[in-house]
């Protein structure tokens, strides 16, 4: 282990989050690991976010690097932060979320201890009063150190959020988030994982994901097709990766993200024409990959049948969809 402390670059994209930004930045300023730079990228906010950023930059000049740019979307803001980061490791925190004070200290220690290129922590969803609404365990039933060659099932089981992970800077040498799309995490993070040999994880729920009542993610449109496009991009990279022979795990990834994640989105599409158009695109996706009904029904995540583990309402929706009963689904929605 080097005697010089590793610098962690934490990238915080900001867009119209005046009600949440201070709590986010407070959680980063209060980290028990102090050798951090926090790159706060104001992506053309129209509210008072910029004033809050400047206040924190003046109070914490040794930690906060403030940037102001024209609006380009989440991916563009993150990429801007990556381009200006100088750390040995990188993390991403959304500006309406917050983290525990020990998050980056523990994750860095795990990265150094196991020489891991990526470290993962658990997430818990919270409401605007700080009440925990859901705990999202990321990698159950696996050791602290995960050798990808012998535990490659993690590729198809993992939730591909960017914000609950610590990355070695080198992973981003030739990689950036795709601009102008939704679900950019599904598009990029699997590609970064495919460049790794060792992961590490903690079972602590360090990342606090705020479920906002005004969140843009509540609007379900044709943008959901970006999920399928993201999976297709990962497929191309997979074929060139060191794990290209592990075809079972690729199919499982296609089922989890291309089928189940897409259906979870589709369940909230209100426009009937859009619903049928997106349904058709999913059917084409499934046919082109020779994914059959049995594959989907038998898909297991972390050794548990995924369909059986779902809430009853989702289970009914999925079974009706697989049975081709879309008109009945529309009546139930």
């Amino acid at each position: 282990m080097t005697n010089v402390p590793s610098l962690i670059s934490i990238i915080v994209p900001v867009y119209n989050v005046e009600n949440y930004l201070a709590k986010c930045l407070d959680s980063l300023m209060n980290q028990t690991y102090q050798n951090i730079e926090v790159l706060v990228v104001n992506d053309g906010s129209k509210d008072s976010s910029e004033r809050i950023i400047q206040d924190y930059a003046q109070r914490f000049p040794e930690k906060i690097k403030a940037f102001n740019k024209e609006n380009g979307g989440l991916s563009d803001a993150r990429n801007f932060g990556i381009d200006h980061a100088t750390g040995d490791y990188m993390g991403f925190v959304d500006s309406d979320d917050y983290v525990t004070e020990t998050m980056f200290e523990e994750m860095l220690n795990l990265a150094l201890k196991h020489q891991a290129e990526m470290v993962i922590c658990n997430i818990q969803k919270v409401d605007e009063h700080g009440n925990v609404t859901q705990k999202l365990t990321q990698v159950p039933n696996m050791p602290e150190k995960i050798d990808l060659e012998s535990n490659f099932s993690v590729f198809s089981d993992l939730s591909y959020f960017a914000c609950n992970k610590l990355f070695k800077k080198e992973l981003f040498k030739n990689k950036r988030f795709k601009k102008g799309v939704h679900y950019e995490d599904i598009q990029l993070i699997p590609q970064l994982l495919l460049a790794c040999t060792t992961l590490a994880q903690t079972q602590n729920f360090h990342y606090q994901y705020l479920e906002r009542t005004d969140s843009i993610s509540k609007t379900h449109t044709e943008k959901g097709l970006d999920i399928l496009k993201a999976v297709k991009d990962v497929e191309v990279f997979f074929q060139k990766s060191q794990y290209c022979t592990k075809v079972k795990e690729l199919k499982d990834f296609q089922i989890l993200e291309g089928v189940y994640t897409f259906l979870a989105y589709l369940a909230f599409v209100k426009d009937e024409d859009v619903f049928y158009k997106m349904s058709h695109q999913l059917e084409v996706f499934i046919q082109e990959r020779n994914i059959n009904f049995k594959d989907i029904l038998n898909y297991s995540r972390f050794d548990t049948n995924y369909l059986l583990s779902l809430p009853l309402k989702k289970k009914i929706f999925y079974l009706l969809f697989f049975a081709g009963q879309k008109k009945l689904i529309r009546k139930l929605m």
Side-chain angles (χ1 to χ4, degrees):
M1 188 180 299
T2 178
N3 292 325
V4 179
S6 299
L7 177 64
I8 299 176
S9 300
I10 304 168
I11 297 167
V12 182
V14 172
Y15 182 71
N16 292 349
V17 284
E18 60 184 4
N19 296 326
Y20 312 103
L21 183 55
K23 188 167 188 174
C24 173
L25 295 179
D26 283 342
S27 75
L28 296 176
M29 293 303 96
N30 292 329
Q31 288 295 299
T32 54
Y33 188 78
Q34 290 291 299
N35 195 28
I36 62 174
E37 61 174 14
V38 180
L39 297 94
V40 188
V41 183
N42 183 9
D43 191 40
S45 295
K46 301 287 193 283
D47 62 1
S48 61
S49 293
E50 175 63 15
R51 179 183 57 77
I52 297 169
I53 293 169
Q54 291 305 320
D55 174 57
Y56 275 82
Q58 290 173 16
R59 288 164 53 197
F60 304 97
E62 74 287 356
K63 284 196 179 68
I64 290 188
K65 294 183 177 181
F67 300 93
N68 206 334
K69 60 180 287 295
E70 291 184 4
N71 180 257
L74 177 61
S75 291
D76 194 49
R78 284 177 173 173
N79 291 342
F80 186 97
I82 294 170
D83 291 341
H84 290 81
T86 62
D88 307 293
Y89 293 85
M90 285 193 197
F92 300 89
V93 176
D94 286 346
S95 50
D96 47 0
D97 300 334
Y98 54 98
V99 300
T100 66
E101 64 181 12
T102 58
M103 174 172 169
F104 287 102
E105 179 177 24
E106 181 180 13
M107 294 179 80
L108 176 63
N109 286 340
L110 287 171
L112 297 174
K113 176 182 177 183
H114 299 300
Q115 294 297 294
E117 298 100 332
M118 186 186 298
V119 184
I120 304 157
C121 74
N122 287 336
I123 299 172
Q124 55 189 16
K125 292 185 177 182
V126 295
D127 63 20
E128 298 198 13
H129 304 289
N131 301 311
V132 177
T133 59
Q134 187 179 6
K135 287 183 174 288
L136 302 174
T137 302
Q138 298 299 290
V139 195
N141 309 321
M142 281 221 179
E144 183 179 272
K145 178 182 180 180
I146 302 171
D147 175 75
L148 270 179
E149 180 61 39
S150 54
N151 294 283
F152 196 66
S153 62
V154 72
F155 170 75
S156 56
D157 292 343
L158 195 62
S159 294
Y160 283 108
F161 306 107
C163 295
N164 69 322
K165 297 172 178 68
L166 184 69
F167 306 90
K168 282 201 77 170
K169 181 182 181 180
E170 287 77 10
L171 291 176
F172 291 92
K173 184 177 180 181
N174 299 306
K175 290 291 180 184
R176 292 294 185 272
F177 289 94
K178 194 170 186 177
K179 297 180 186 179
V181 300
H182 289 199
Y183 297 92
E184 55 281 305
D185 288 3
I186 296 175
Q187 193 271 345
L188 178 64
I189 308 304
Q191 296 186 46
L192 301 183
L193 183 142
L194 289 168
C196 298
T197 58
T198 305
L199 309 182
Q201 63 134 343
T202 169
Q203 287 297 311
N204 287 323
F205 290 84
H206 284 305
Y207 196 85
Q208 316 299 301
Y209 175 90
L210 176 65
E211 288 197 290
R212 288 166 54 184
T213 54
D214 62 342
S215 174
I216 192 170
S217 63
K218 300 293 182 183
T219 307
H220 293 74
T221 67
E222 280 188 59
K223 274 292 185 181
L225 290 170
D226 285 349
I227 297 171
L228 301 184
K229 294 174 185 175
V231 173
K232 292 174 184 177
D233 284 349
V234 174
E235 291 169 347
V236 172
F237 190 79
F238 187 94
Q239 299 304 333
K240 299 181 289 185
S241 77
Q242 60 190 314
Y243 304 107
C244 61
T245 60
K246 297 183 181 292
V247 292
K248 179 187 182 300
E249 288 81 359
L250 175 60
K251 176 168 274 193
D252 285 345
F253 171 81
Q254 292 164 336
I255 291 171
L256 176 62
E257 299 295 0
V259 179
Y260 281 117
T261 298
F262 186 81
L263 281 172
Y265 186 98
L266 187 63
F268 292 95
V269 173
K270 301 301 182 186
D271 185 283
E272 187 167 337
D273 290 338
V274 173
F275 175 86
Y276 283 117
K277 178 180 178 181
M278 293 177 67
S279 296
H280 175 69
Q281 290 299 313
L282 176 57
E283 289 166 352
V284 172
F285 176 90
I286 291 172
Q287 290 169 4
E288 288 179 345
R289 284 151 188 81
N290 295 316
I291 298 171
N292 60 49
F293 187 51
K294 186 178 179 182
D295 292 331
I296 297 170
L297 289 184
N298 291 338
Y299 168 70
S300 290
R301 190 180 188 202
F302 298 116
D303 300 322
T304 301
N305 182 275
Y306 189 68
L307 187 63
L308 292 179
S309 67
L310 293 172
L312 182 59
K313 188 174 181 181
K314 273 191 177 181
K315 201 178 302 182
I316 292 172
F317 175 87
Y318 293 170
L319 288 172
L320 286 173
F321 185 90
F322 298 147
Q325 300 298 314
K326 298 185 187 64
K327 289 185 179 179
L328 182 55
I329 289 173
R330 294 303 301 171
K331 290 180 180 178
L332 294 174
M333 290 171 67

